[in-house]
Amino acid sequence: MSKVLVIGAGGVGSVAVHKMAQIPAIFSQITLASRRIAKCDAIAESVKARTGVSIATAEVDADDIEATANLVEHVQPALVVNLALPYQDLSIMEACLKTGVHYMDTANYEPRDEAKFEYHWQWAYHDRFKEAGIMALLGSGFDPGVTSVFATYLKKHHLDTIETLDILDCNGGDHGQHFATNFNPEINIREVTAVARHWENGDWVETPPLSHKQSFDFEQVGQKNMYLMYHEELESLKTHLPEIQRIRFWMTFGDAYLKHLEVLQNVGMTRIDPVIYEGKEIIPLQFLKAVLPEPSSLGETTKGKTNIGDIATGTKDGEAKTFYIWNVCDHEEAYAETGNQAVSYTTGVPAMIGAAMILTGAWNAAGVFNMEQFDPDPFMDMLNTHGLPWQVKELDGPLAF
């Protein structure tokens, strides 16, 4: 039994603490903190109503290393689960180093003033965490996170080597809004509008954003258009599975979403550089975030399902093989259980499981690590028993594109 401090009171943080409260044998005391304590209190009320478990709440500015370290000292957790913004990863890691507490997040660091996310900033902390005798687990969401564990599970049980890997992320849900994002609008739009990159034959290949489209028939969702994008697990998987010759990430988008996004880009609303408005400096994308629907408010109206998985080609005993491993999550079922839609659910559940891996000692090492560096089996077992069951099947051959 262990104390845990969760920082971040959005949809993912809400799902994570709801799921933690269901397992008191692992999570004996939960504290939820964010910049606005009222959001934490509302989530705590939901957790109490749904599970009967009381969780503590706190207010903290996660950009402030000293304030975060002071909160950690006060709570005395075994682990800090960072579900705040990616900009805050390094400050929370510093607070964990100051207090000697394990760290975990779901998305890698990116600077506020540049739409660029890479692991090198966090990997640079490895020696400091190792010397402190504490662990940092990076990217314990779905993608990154589960998709990385899917890959290592396939390699452990079905393939001797993985030569090509495609990660397919489909959200077949409909929230009824003209335009809204299913997670933090600022992060979502920065990600979608970034230059696409994939790894092939030992180098990065770059293409314009949303310029490469394919169609795929997703089980329980149907035929959807998906677009080649860059995602951080490409960097870590090509590093830790060095035999991979090509790795790509695909995400589905509806035509209405893309049309709205195109207009917003054309009029400058997705800019992340400051502009002067009525004598004050504002960042257009942050203003856009303020006027768009809050992602955590979409759960009640969202219907449909997500389907996220990996298609891996490689060899087994010298024979070419292709396997597909995936999960389907229902928006309405996720909302009924936690009050949040499936995009938050599919990130919040793996966040809980990653925390459980650390707290139970199933994954135990000093330093900074990615998901694919550990035994996939205990994580995969918990996916099946805590709301994200998966399936795997052999395909006749690799993707045709």
Side-chain angles (χ1 to χ4, degrees):
M1 297 176 68
S2 301
K3 295 181 180 179
V4 63
L5 171 61
V6 179
I7 300 177
V12 174
S14 175
V15 172
V17 296
H18 277 87
K19 299 298 286 190
M20 289 174 180
Q22 296 173 11
I23 319 175
I26 298 176
F27 303 96
S28 59
Q29 182 176 315
I30 305 162
T31 300
L32 177 64
S34 80
R35 192 185 299 269
R36 290 179 286 176
I37 195 170
K39 294 183 69 175
C40 301
D41 291 340
I43 292 170
E45 290 178 10
S46 175
V47 171
K48 179 69 173 178
R50 293 171 187 272
T51 69
V53 173
S54 296
I55 69 172
T57 61
E59 187 171 295
V60 69
D61 178 359
D63 291 319
D64 187 329
I65 296 170
E66 286 298 327
T68 306
N70 289 339
L71 177 61
V72 175
E73 290 282 8
H74 174 72
V75 175
Q76 293 287 300
L79 169 69
V80 173
V81 177
N82 170 18
L83 304 179
L85 293 171
Y87 320 137
Q88 298 169 316
D89 288 359
L90 301 188
S91 60
I92 298 174
M93 291 179 79
E94 290 285 357
C96 287
L97 282 167
K98 287 177 70 71
T99 54
V101 173
H102 298 309
Y103 168 91
M104 196 202 83
D105 65 33
T106 60
N108 72 351
Y109 174 75
E110 62 176 290
R112 286 183 184 273
D113 58 355
E114 186 179 8
K116 182 178 183 179
F117 47 104
E118 295 178 357
Y119 274 119
H120 72 84
W121 286 289
Q122 291 180 277
W123 284 345
Y125 278 72
H126 178 76
D127 289 344
R128 292 175 64 194
F129 269 77
K130 185 175 181 180
E131 290 166 7
I134 56 177
M135 177 178 175
L137 180 64
L138 308 182
S140 189
F142 207 108
D143 44 352
V146 174
T147 52
S148 300
V149 179
F150 277 174
T152 50
Y153 180 86
L154 289 180
K155 184 171 181 180
K156 179 176 180 178
H157 295 283
H158 295 282
L159 293 166
D160 296 326
T161 63
I162 296 178
E163 296 171 5
T164 69
L165 183 68
D166 285 273
I167 299 168
L168 283 57
D169 183 324
C170 170
N171 177 16
D174 182 1
H175 45 55
Q177 300 284 337
H178 291 296
F179 183 80
T181 61
N182 290 293
F183 60 95
N184 184 287
E186 191 175 356
I187 303 303
N188 176 267
I189 292 172
R190 283 167 63 124
E191 183 178 280
V192 173
T193 57
V195 171
R197 290 198 302 165
H198 72 277
W199 181 258
E200 188 165 3
N201 297 325
D203 206 355
W204 292 110
V205 179
E206 294 191 350
T207 51
L210 304 173
S211 62
H212 194 163
K213 177 176 74 173
Q214 294 290 343
S215 182
F216 189 83
D217 189 7
F218 291 90
E219 182 174 318
Q220 298 188 50
V221 176
Q223 200 82 20
K224 293 287 184 181
N225 290 330
M226 59 183 190
Y227 296 81
L228 192 66
M229 293 177 56
Y230 177 69
H231 229 237
E232 59 251 52
E233 64 264 47
L234 305 189
E235 181 184 14
S236 67
L237 284 167
K238 69 89 176 172
T239 300
H240 298 125
L241 298 177
E243 78 271 17
I244 287 182
Q245 297 171 15
R246 189 192 71 206
I247 178 170
R248 303 179 296 188
F249 181 92
W250 305 86
M251 184 174 282
T252 63
F253 299 101
D255 292 340
Y257 175 94
L258 295 177
K259 177 54 67 177
H260 279 82
L261 183 61
E262 180 184 3
V263 172
L264 291 169
Q265 284 185 281
N266 288 343
V267 299
M269 286 304 300
T270 62
R271 288 171 53 179
I272 61 174
D273 55 311
V275 300
I276 302 299
Y277 174 71
E278 293 188 346
K280 296 180 180 180
E281 189 177 273
I282 67 168
I283 294 175
L285 182 54
Q286 291 181 355
F287 175 80
L288 178 63
K289 173 187 174 183
V291 299
L292 287 175
E294 172 67 34
S296 61
S297 72
L298 300 174
E300 191 171 4
T301 60
T302 304
K303 303 182 186 304
K305 297 178 181 181
T306 64
N307 181 318
I308 312 172
D310 294 2
I311 295 179
T313 66
T315 57
K316 181 67 175 179
D317 299 325
E319 184 180 354
K321 297 277 188 179
T322 301
F323 287 92
Y324 183 24
I325 184 169
W326 74 97
N327 160 264
V328 173
C329 184
D330 187 287
H331 282 285
E332 292 177 270
E333 292 177 3
Y335 182 77
E337 182 185 356
T338 68
N340 297 275
Q341 37 87 355
V343 174
S344 296
Y345 192 90
T346 54
T347 304
V349 173
M352 178 278 288
I353 297 174
M357 293 295 100
I358 297 171
L359 295 177
T360 62
W363 291 354
N364 182 24
V368 176
F369 301 93
N370 293 92
M371 306 287 284
E372 64 270 16
Q373 293 178 267
F374 296 97
D375 180 10
D377 289 354
F379 191 99
M380 295 288 283
D381 289 343
M382 285 193 72
L383 285 174
N384 274 332
T385 56
H386 292 281
L388 294 177
W390 47 271
Q391 302 176 64
V392 61
K393 67 179 180 182
E394 185 172 359
L395 301 182
D396 293 335
L399 289 173
F401 49 85

